[in-house]
Amino acid sequence: MRTAEFDELFASALRGLERVGPTHLRLMLEGGEQAEQTARDLAARETGCCSFFSFTFAPGGEGLALDIEVPAVHVKVLDGLAVRAIEAAPRIAS
């Protein structure tokens, strides 16, 4: 279920994606307070399920920066999330 929710968030709010490092992905989100609430809720639930994820939120440019980090052993999970984001929001430049 969260997969579909992440896809919906990416499709509606994702405006940029940057691979900061092998274990660090930065997503730039637009959509104001609603997008931020959705992202924070999803991050909290994902952390509850998969505690290896680290989610950090910060104002960034014209929106919200969401930094997602994982230990090196879970880099393939982060890779999968990046692919999902690009597929859900193909207009972004990665």
Side-chain angles (χ1 to χ4, degrees):
M1 185 167 138
R2 269 192 312 275
T3 301
E5 291 177 83
F6 270 109
D7 288 348
E8 185 176 321
L9 175 67
F10 297 151
S12 66
L14 187 63
R15 297 297 176 258
L17 179 146
E18 176 187 358
R19 194 62 180 255
V20 178
T23 62
H24 186 176
L25 179 66
R26 176 170 295 137
L27 305 177
M28 293 305 301
L29 304 174
E30 282 184 343
E33 187 176 319
Q34 181 60 45
E36 181 174 353
Q37 288 176 354
T38 299
R40 286 183 182 277
D41 176 62
L42 284 169
R45 288 188 287 143
E46 194 64 27
T47 302
C49 166
C50 304
S51 61
F52 59 85
F53 275 112
S54 171
F55 295 93
T56 307
F57 294 86
E62 296 179 17
L64 179 71
L66 169 54
D67 286 302
I68 306 169
E69 296 183 72
V70 298
V73 69
H74 293 293
V75 86
K76 288 189 186 245
V77 177
L78 191 63
D79 293 343
L81 187 62
V83 168
R84 291 199 73 83
I86 291 167
E87 289 176 352
R91 71 190 168 284
I92 66 165
S94 57

